[in-house]
Amino acid sequence: MTDEKPATKATSLGRMSAGHHGVVNTPVYRASTILYPDYAAMTGGDPEYTYGRRGTPTTRSFEEAVGGLEGAARTVTVPSGLNAIATAILSVCAAGDHLLVTDNAYGPTRVFCEKTLKRFGVETSYFAAGDDIAPLLRPNTRAVFCESPGSLTFEMTDVPALAKTAHAAGASVLMDNTWATALYFQPLKHGVDLSIQAATKYVGGHADVMLGYIAANESHAARLHQTHGNMGLYASGDDCWLGLRGLRTLPVRLARHQETGLKLARWLAGRPEVARVLHPALESDPGHALWKRDFSGACGLFGLILKPVPESAIAAFMNGLRHFGLGWSWGGFESLIVPSHITRTVRPFIAEGPLLRIHAGLEDADDLIADLEEGLERLRTHPSTGSG
Ligand SMILES: *Cc1c(COP(=O)(O)O)cnc(C)c1O
Protein backbone atom coordinates (compact mmCIF):
# COMPACT_ATOMS: atom_id res chain seq x y z
CA MET A 1 0.00 0.00 0.00
CA THR A 2 1.34 3.44 -0.89
CA ASP A 3 1.63 6.03 1.81
CA GLU A 4 -1.07 8.56 0.95
CA LYS A 5 -0.32 12.26 0.64
CA PRO A 6 -0.99 14.51 3.66
CA ALA A 7 -4.03 16.19 2.07
CA THR A 8 -5.68 12.80 1.54
CA LYS A 9 -4.95 11.79 5.12
CA ALA A 10 -6.32 15.05 6.53
CA THR A 11 -9.53 14.50 4.61
CA SER A 12 -10.09 10.79 5.09
CA LEU A 13 -8.55 9.53 8.36
CA GLY A 14 -10.54 9.04 11.53
CA ARG A 15 -13.92 8.78 9.88
CA MET A 16 -16.20 6.34 11.65
CA SER A 17 -19.17 6.52 9.32
CA ALA A 18 -19.86 2.79 9.52
CA GLY A 19 -20.53 3.02 13.24
CA HIS A 20 -22.76 6.07 12.83
CA HIS A 21 -25.39 5.12 10.26
CA GLY A 22 -23.28 6.43 7.37
CA VAL A 23 -23.06 9.94 8.81
CA VAL A 24 -19.87 11.45 7.35
CA ASN A 25 -18.59 13.11 10.52
CA THR A 26 -18.24 11.36 13.87
CA PRO A 27 -20.85 13.08 16.07
CA VAL A 28 -20.11 14.88 19.33
CA TYR A 29 -20.18 12.40 22.20
CA ARG A 30 -20.76 13.85 25.66
CA ALA A 31 -19.98 11.19 28.21
CA SER A 32 -18.83 10.52 31.73
CA THR A 33 -20.24 7.06 32.50
CA ILE A 34 -19.99 4.43 29.80
CA LEU A 35 -22.11 1.32 30.44
CA TYR A 36 -20.71 -2.19 30.02
CA PRO A 37 -22.96 -4.88 28.56
CA ASP A 38 -22.41 -7.31 31.46
CA TYR A 39 -20.33 -8.28 34.50
CA ALA A 40 -17.72 -10.15 32.47
CA ALA A 41 -17.10 -7.18 30.18
CA MET A 42 -16.84 -4.89 33.21
CA THR A 43 -14.31 -7.01 35.09
CA GLY A 44 -12.31 -8.84 32.47
CA GLY A 45 -12.29 -7.15 29.09
CA ASP A 46 -10.12 -4.46 27.56
CA PRO A 47 -12.78 -2.31 25.94
CA GLU A 48 -11.98 0.67 23.72
CA TYR A 49 -14.16 3.01 25.78
CA THR A 50 -14.25 2.85 29.57
CA TYR A 51 -14.97 6.28 30.99
CA GLY A 52 -15.54 9.75 29.52
CA ARG A 53 -12.20 11.11 30.70
CA ARG A 54 -10.35 8.37 28.81
CA GLY A 55 -11.95 9.34 25.51
CA THR A 56 -15.01 8.79 23.34
CA PRO A 57 -15.42 8.03 19.63
CA THR A 58 -15.14 11.80 18.97
CA THR A 59 -11.77 11.94 20.73
CA ARG A 60 -10.58 8.79 18.95
CA SER A 61 -11.63 10.12 15.54
CA PHE A 62 -9.58 13.25 16.13
CA GLU A 63 -6.58 11.29 17.41
CA GLU A 64 -6.73 8.80 14.53
CA ALA A 65 -6.81 11.61 11.99
CA VAL A 66 -4.03 13.81 13.38
CA GLY A 67 -2.03 10.79 14.55
CA GLY A 68 -2.17 9.32 11.04
CA LEU A 69 -0.98 12.60 9.58
CA GLU A 70 1.92 12.67 12.06
CA GLY A 71 2.79 9.01 11.53
CA ALA A 72 2.39 8.46 15.28
CA ALA A 73 2.23 5.28 17.34
CA ARG A 74 0.00 7.05 19.90
CA THR A 75 -1.66 10.46 20.02
CA VAL A 76 -3.28 12.13 23.03
CA THR A 77 -5.62 15.12 23.03
CA VAL A 78 -5.31 17.90 25.61
CA PRO A 79 -7.18 21.14 26.42
CA SER A 80 -4.66 23.57 24.87
CA GLY A 81 -1.38 23.87 23.02
CA LEU A 82 0.39 25.00 26.17
CA ASN A 83 -0.88 21.93 27.98
CA ALA A 84 0.50 19.79 25.16
CA ILE A 85 3.92 21.36 25.80
CA ALA A 86 3.71 20.84 29.58
CA THR A 87 2.41 17.27 29.30
CA ALA A 88 5.03 16.26 26.75
CA ILE A 89 7.81 17.55 29.03
CA LEU A 90 6.30 15.93 32.14
CA SER A 91 6.08 12.60 30.33
CA VAL A 92 9.87 12.43 29.91
CA CYS A 93 11.43 14.47 32.78
CA ALA A 94 11.83 13.54 36.44
CA ALA A 95 13.44 15.18 39.48
CA GLY A 96 17.19 15.58 38.98
CA ASP A 97 16.93 15.76 35.20
CA HIS A 98 18.15 18.54 32.94
CA LEU A 99 16.08 19.87 30.04
CA LEU A 100 17.62 21.79 27.12
CA VAL A 101 15.18 24.21 25.46
CA THR A 102 15.49 26.45 22.41
CA ASP A 103 16.02 30.11 23.26
CA ASN A 104 13.27 31.07 20.79
CA ALA A 105 10.57 28.86 22.29
CA TYR A 106 6.99 30.11 22.62
CA GLY A 107 7.10 32.41 25.70
CA PRO A 108 4.83 30.39 28.00
CA THR A 109 7.04 27.29 27.38
CA ARG A 110 9.89 29.12 29.09
CA VAL A 111 7.61 30.25 31.92
CA PHE A 112 6.45 26.66 32.50
CA CYS A 113 10.08 25.52 32.73
CA GLU A 114 11.14 28.35 35.04
CA LYS A 115 8.12 28.47 37.32
CA THR A 116 6.63 24.98 37.47
CA LEU A 117 9.19 22.45 36.26
CA LYS A 118 11.84 23.97 38.51
CA ARG A 119 9.69 23.27 41.60
CA PHE A 120 9.82 19.58 40.75
CA GLY A 121 13.60 19.52 40.55
CA VAL A 122 14.06 19.72 36.78
CA GLU A 123 16.64 22.26 35.66
CA THR A 124 16.28 24.00 32.30
CA SER A 125 18.99 25.66 30.22
CA TYR A 126 18.72 27.11 26.72
CA PHE A 127 20.36 26.85 23.29
CA ALA A 128 20.32 29.30 20.37
CA ALA A 129 18.61 28.05 17.20
CA GLY A 130 21.74 27.74 15.04
CA ASP A 131 24.10 26.38 17.69
CA ASP A 132 25.49 22.85 18.02
CA ILE A 133 23.84 21.38 21.13
CA ALA A 134 26.56 18.77 21.78
CA PRO A 135 28.58 20.93 24.23
CA LEU A 136 25.38 21.86 26.09
CA LEU A 137 24.28 18.32 26.86
CA ARG A 138 24.93 17.12 30.41
CA PRO A 139 25.06 13.58 31.80
CA ASN A 140 21.54 14.14 33.19
CA THR A 141 20.03 15.81 30.10
CA ARG A 142 16.77 13.93 29.70
CA ALA A 143 15.27 15.86 26.77
CA VAL A 144 15.85 18.55 24.16
CA PHE A 145 12.90 20.78 23.29
CA CYS A 146 12.89 22.60 19.96
CA GLU A 147 10.60 24.78 17.92
CA SER A 148 11.34 25.51 14.26
CA PRO A 149 10.86 28.12 13.03
CA GLY A 150 10.95 29.61 16.53
CA SER A 151 8.34 31.96 17.96
CA LEU A 152 8.49 35.67 17.04
CA THR A 153 11.86 35.60 15.19
CA PHE A 154 11.21 32.57 12.94
CA GLU A 155 14.78 31.27 13.13
CA MET A 156 15.19 27.74 11.83
CA THR A 157 16.78 24.80 13.64
CA ASP A 158 18.34 21.79 11.92
CA VAL A 159 15.94 19.31 13.54
CA PRO A 160 17.38 16.04 12.13
CA ALA A 161 20.91 17.04 13.21
CA LEU A 162 19.69 18.10 16.65
CA ALA A 163 17.79 14.82 17.05
CA LYS A 164 20.87 12.80 16.12
CA THR A 165 23.05 14.58 18.67
CA ALA A 166 20.41 14.35 21.40
CA HIS A 167 19.74 10.65 20.80
CA ALA A 168 23.45 9.84 20.83
CA ALA A 169 23.48 11.26 24.38
CA GLY A 170 20.37 9.33 25.38
CA ALA A 171 18.05 12.36 25.43
CA SER A 172 14.51 12.49 24.04
CA VAL A 173 13.57 15.07 21.41
CA LEU A 174 10.41 17.16 21.71
CA MET A 175 9.21 19.64 19.11
CA ASP A 176 6.55 22.34 19.05
CA ASN A 177 5.46 22.07 15.40
CA THR A 178 2.53 24.48 15.51
CA TRP A 179 3.90 26.75 12.75
CA ALA A 180 4.15 24.14 9.97
CA THR A 181 1.52 21.69 11.23
CA ALA A 182 1.97 18.02 10.31
CA LEU A 183 0.92 18.97 6.79
CA TYR A 184 4.17 20.83 6.01
CA PHE A 185 6.59 19.13 8.42
CA GLN A 186 6.36 15.71 10.05
CA PRO A 187 8.58 15.83 13.17
CA LEU A 188 8.46 12.08 13.88
CA LYS A 189 9.91 11.39 10.42
CA HIS A 190 12.80 13.74 11.21
CA GLY A 191 13.93 12.12 14.45
CA VAL A 192 11.58 13.80 16.93
CA ASP A 193 10.05 11.58 19.66
CA LEU A 194 7.12 13.75 20.72
CA SER A 195 5.45 16.09 18.21
CA ILE A 196 3.47 18.90 19.85
CA GLN A 197 0.68 20.83 18.19
CA ALA A 198 -1.41 23.78 19.37
CA ALA A 199 -4.50 22.68 17.45
CA THR A 200 -6.01 25.98 18.64
CA LYS A 201 -4.18 27.56 15.71
CA TYR A 202 -4.42 26.10 12.18
CA VAL A 203 -6.05 22.76 12.93
CA GLY A 204 -9.05 24.45 14.56
CA GLY A 205 -8.56 27.24 12.07
CA HIS A 206 -11.57 29.38 12.98
CA ALA A 207 -10.52 31.20 16.18
CA ASP A 208 -13.19 29.39 18.18
CA VAL A 209 -11.53 26.49 20.00
CA MET A 210 -8.68 25.80 22.44
CA LEU A 211 -7.14 22.39 21.77
CA GLY A 212 -3.79 20.63 21.68
CA TYR A 213 -2.36 17.22 20.94
CA ILE A 214 0.87 15.29 21.34
CA ALA A 215 1.88 12.60 18.85
CA ALA A 216 4.41 10.02 20.03
CA ASN A 217 6.64 7.55 18.25
CA GLU A 218 6.73 3.91 19.39
CA SER A 219 9.38 4.39 22.09
CA HIS A 220 7.51 7.28 23.76
CA ALA A 221 3.92 6.09 23.31
CA ALA A 222 3.49 4.28 26.65
CA ARG A 223 4.95 6.99 28.88
CA LEU A 224 2.94 9.69 27.08
CA HIS A 225 -0.30 7.75 27.43
CA GLN A 226 0.40 7.06 31.09
CA THR A 227 1.23 10.66 32.00
CA HIS A 228 -1.81 11.91 30.10
CA GLY A 229 -4.05 9.46 31.96
CA ASN A 230 -2.54 10.10 35.38
CA MET A 231 -2.96 13.85 35.05
CA GLY A 232 -6.67 13.50 34.28
CA LEU A 233 -6.34 15.32 31.00
CA TYR A 234 -9.34 15.56 28.75
CA ALA A 235 -10.56 17.63 25.81
CA SER A 236 -14.32 17.91 25.35
CA GLY A 237 -16.22 16.17 22.57
CA ASP A 238 -17.31 19.55 21.22
CA ASP A 239 -13.72 20.75 21.00
CA CYS A 240 -12.45 17.55 19.36
CA TRP A 241 -15.30 17.82 16.89
CA LEU A 242 -14.27 21.40 16.05
CA GLY A 243 -10.67 20.21 15.69
CA LEU A 244 -11.76 17.49 13.26
CA ARG A 245 -13.96 19.89 11.36
CA GLY A 246 -11.02 22.26 10.95
CA LEU A 247 -8.65 19.49 9.96
CA ARG A 248 -10.78 18.49 6.94
CA THR A 249 -10.12 21.83 5.23
CA LEU A 250 -6.60 22.40 6.58
CA PRO A 251 -4.87 21.58 3.27
CA VAL A 252 -6.75 24.23 1.25
CA ARG A 253 -6.66 26.83 4.02
CA LEU A 254 -2.97 26.41 4.69
CA ALA A 255 -2.11 26.70 0.99
CA ARG A 256 -3.92 30.04 0.87
CA HIS A 257 -2.38 31.26 4.15
CA GLN A 258 1.02 30.41 2.65
CA GLU A 259 0.36 32.20 -0.64
CA THR A 260 -1.00 35.35 0.98
CA GLY A 261 1.66 35.35 3.69
CA LEU A 262 4.42 35.24 1.09
CA LYS A 263 2.76 37.99 -0.95
CA LEU A 264 2.61 40.25 2.09
CA ALA A 265 6.14 39.34 3.17
CA ARG A 266 7.60 40.12 -0.27
CA TRP A 267 5.68 43.38 -0.50
CA LEU A 268 6.76 44.44 2.99
CA ALA A 269 10.40 43.55 2.27
CA GLY A 270 10.38 46.18 -0.48
CA ARG A 271 9.00 48.98 1.71
CA PRO A 272 11.27 51.80 2.92
CA GLU A 273 9.74 51.70 6.44
CA VAL A 274 10.78 48.04 6.87
CA ALA A 275 14.25 46.96 8.01
CA ARG A 276 13.78 43.21 7.63
CA VAL A 277 11.14 40.54 7.12
CA LEU A 278 11.50 37.30 9.11
CA HIS A 279 10.07 34.48 6.98
CA PRO A 280 12.02 31.27 6.28
CA ALA A 281 10.29 30.74 2.91
CA LEU A 282 11.88 33.97 1.59
CA GLU A 283 15.05 33.20 -0.38
CA SER A 284 16.86 35.97 1.52
CA ASP A 285 16.11 34.46 4.94
CA PRO A 286 19.09 32.89 6.78
CA GLY A 287 16.96 29.80 7.51
CA HIS A 288 15.76 29.36 3.94
CA ALA A 289 18.03 26.43 3.02
CA LEU A 290 16.92 24.40 6.06
CA TRP A 291 13.28 25.25 5.45
CA LYS A 292 13.56 24.21 1.82
CA ARG A 293 15.32 20.96 2.68
CA ASP A 294 12.89 19.76 5.38
CA PHE A 295 9.55 21.56 4.99
CA SER A 296 6.99 21.20 2.23
CA GLY A 297 5.35 24.56 2.88
CA ALA A 298 4.96 27.65 5.05
CA CYS A 299 1.98 28.94 6.98
CA GLY A 300 0.76 32.55 7.07
CA LEU A 301 2.67 33.67 10.17
CA PHE A 302 5.83 35.75 9.91
CA GLY A 303 7.77 38.56 11.55
CA LEU A 304 8.61 42.07 10.57
CA ILE A 305 11.24 44.48 11.88
CA LEU A 306 10.49 48.15 11.27
CA LYS A 307 13.16 50.81 11.00
CA PRO A 308 13.30 52.71 14.29
CA VAL A 309 10.13 54.75 14.95
CA PRO A 310 8.50 56.03 18.14
CA GLU A 311 5.84 53.84 19.69
CA SER A 312 3.15 56.42 18.93
CA ALA A 313 3.83 55.99 15.18
CA ILE A 314 3.38 52.21 15.55
CA ALA A 315 0.11 52.89 17.37
CA ALA A 316 -1.03 55.11 14.47
CA PHE A 317 -0.14 52.32 12.02
CA MET A 318 -1.97 49.62 13.95
CA ASN A 319 -5.00 51.58 15.14
CA GLY A 320 -6.34 52.41 11.69
CA LEU A 321 -6.04 48.92 10.17
CA ARG A 322 -9.33 47.66 8.74
CA HIS A 323 -8.51 44.01 8.01
CA PHE A 324 -5.85 43.15 10.59
CA GLY A 325 -7.24 42.45 14.05
CA LEU A 326 -5.19 43.34 17.12
CA GLY A 327 -5.28 40.06 19.01
CA TRP A 328 -3.18 37.17 20.32
CA SER A 329 -3.15 33.72 18.83
CA TRP A 330 -3.19 33.00 15.09
CA GLY A 331 -4.12 30.28 12.61
CA GLY A 332 -7.75 31.36 12.22
CA PHE A 333 -9.24 32.60 8.94
CA GLU A 334 -8.67 36.23 9.92
CA SER A 335 -5.60 38.43 9.59
CA LEU A 336 -3.91 39.63 12.76
CA ILE A 337 -1.05 41.88 13.80
CA VAL A 338 0.69 42.13 17.17
CA PRO A 339 3.79 43.83 18.59
CA SER A 340 6.42 41.24 19.65
CA HIS A 341 8.57 41.37 22.75
CA ILE A 342 11.44 38.91 22.83
CA THR A 343 13.02 37.16 25.81
CA ARG A 344 16.49 35.74 25.20
CA THR A 345 18.95 34.34 27.72
CA VAL A 346 21.66 32.70 25.54
CA ARG A 347 22.43 35.84 23.55
CA PRO A 348 20.37 38.86 22.57
CA PHE A 349 18.41 39.01 19.34
CA ILE A 350 19.54 42.17 17.56
CA ALA A 351 16.63 43.99 15.92
CA GLU A 352 17.09 47.21 13.95
CA GLY A 353 13.79 48.55 15.28
CA PRO A 354 10.40 47.48 16.62
CA LEU A 355 9.31 43.91 15.94
CA LEU A 356 5.81 43.00 14.76
CA ARG A 357 4.14 39.69 13.96
CA ILE A 358 1.65 39.30 11.14
CA HIS A 359 -0.82 36.52 10.52
CA ALA A 360 -2.01 36.48 6.91
CA GLY A 361 -5.64 35.38 6.93
CA LEU A 362 -7.94 34.28 4.12
CA GLU A 363 -8.96 37.77 2.99
CA ASP A 364 -7.95 38.89 -0.51
CA ALA A 365 -4.21 39.63 -0.52
CA ASP A 366 -4.66 42.89 -2.46
CA ASP A 367 -7.05 44.24 0.18
CA LEU A 368 -4.55 43.32 2.90
CA ILE A 369 -1.71 45.05 1.07
CA ALA A 370 -3.82 48.18 0.55
CA ASP A 371 -4.59 48.17 4.28
CA LEU A 372 -0.90 47.85 5.17
CA GLU A 373 0.03 50.56 2.66
CA GLU A 374 -2.37 53.04 4.24
CA GLY A 375 -1.07 52.04 7.66
CA LEU A 376 2.57 52.60 6.70
CA GLU A 377 1.56 55.99 5.31
CA ARG A 378 0.09 56.85 8.73
CA LEU A 379 3.31 55.65 10.36
CA ARG A 380 5.53 57.62 7.99
CA THR A 381 3.57 60.88 8.30
CA HIS A 382 2.93 60.64 12.03
CA PRO A 383 4.16 63.85 13.74
CA SER A 384 6.43 61.85 16.05
CA THR A 385 8.26 60.17 13.16
CA GLY A 386 10.03 63.40 12.24
CA SER A 387 10.59 62.77 8.54
CA GLY A 388 6.95 63.89 7.95
C1 LIG B 1 -0.19 29.58 20.65
C2 LIG B 1 0.97 28.69 20.71
C3 LIG B 1 1.00 27.66 21.64
C4 LIG B 1 -0.05 27.48 22.71
O1 LIG B 1 -1.30 27.12 22.23
P1 LIG B 1 -2.61 27.39 23.11
O2 LIG B 1 -3.61 26.51 22.50
O3 LIG B 1 -2.88 28.86 22.97
O4 LIG B 1 -2.29 27.04 24.52
C5 LIG B 1 2.08 26.80 21.61
N1 LIG B 1 3.09 26.96 20.74
C6 LIG B 1 3.09 27.95 19.83
C7 LIG B 1 4.23 28.06 18.89
C8 LIG B 1 2.04 28.86 19.80
O5 LIG B 1 2.07 29.88 18.94
Side-chain angles (χ1 to χ4, degrees), residues 56-75:
T56 68
T58 320
T59 330
R60 280 309 170 263
S61 282
F62 179 72
E63 289 168 356
E64 261 182 56
V66 294
L69 202 52
E70 297 268 359
R74 165 81 75 169
T75 304

Side-chain angles (χ1 to χ4, degrees), residues 197-360:
Q197 184 69 212
T200 303
K201 307 289 167 60
Y202 282 115
V203 175
H206 294 73
D208 53 10
V209 63
M210 302 294 305
L211 192 65
Y213 73 79
I214 309 152
N217 63 11
E218 195 64 52
S219 64
H220 286 64
R223 62 186 106 168
L224 174 68
H225 187 234
Q226 203 170 69
T227 303
H228 178 264
N230 293 347
M231 304 252 306
L233 290 164
Y234 165 80
S236 81
D238 301 78
D239 293 345
C240 291
W241 185 88
L242 281 169
L244 263 176
R245 175 150 176 147
L247 182 74
R248 301 312 185 197
T249 58
L250 181 62
V252 285
R253 286 187 289 108
L254 211 50
R256 177 61 75 87
H257 285 293
Q258 165 169 248
E259 185 187 330
T260 302
L262 273 167
K263 256 190 202 169
L264 301 190
R266 292 209 165 95
W267 182 82
L268 284 162
R271 289 291 307 194
E273 301 86 352
V274 174
R276 200 155 36 117
V277 174
L278 311 171
H279 193 317
L282 289 184
E283 295 75 8
S284 57
D285 192 275
H288 184 69
L290 276 180
W291 173 80
K292 203 169 168 184
R293 187 192 71 187
D294 294 341
F295 288 57
S296 56
C299 71
L301 191 78
F302 63 94
L304 175 69
I305 301 175
L306 293 169
K307 289 182 183 160
V309 279
E311 200 170 7
S312 53
I314 299 172
F317 165 55
M318 291 189 35
N319 281 337
L321 292 169
R322 288 171 292 127
H323 301 303
F324 289 85
L326 276 49
W328 306 113
S329 202
W330 46 279
F333 54 81
E334 82 287 17
S335 288
L336 296 168
I337 188 164
V338 297
S340 302
H341 302 287
I342 299 174
T343 304
R344 287 293 156 90
T345 49
V346 175
R347 70 179 77 100
F349 179 84
I350 310 290
E352 298 85 331
L355 183 61
L356 304 176
R357 189 186 71 187
I358 285 181
H359 178 247

Side-chain angles (χ1 to χ4, degrees), residues 80-83 85 106 109 147 151 176 178-179 198-201 210-211 329-330 357:
S80 69
L82 180 56
N83 184 271
I85 291 164
Y106 174 63
T109 301
E147 185 183 328
S151 278
D176 182 338
T178 303
W179 186 86
T200 303
K201 307 289 167 60
M210 302 294 305
L211 192 65
S329 202
W330 46 279
R357 189 186 71 187

Side-chain angles (χ1 to χ4, degrees), residues 47-59:
E48 168 87 24
Y49 303 107
T50 56
Y51 185 48
R53 170 157 39 74
R54 303 314 304 268
T56 68
T58 320
T59 330

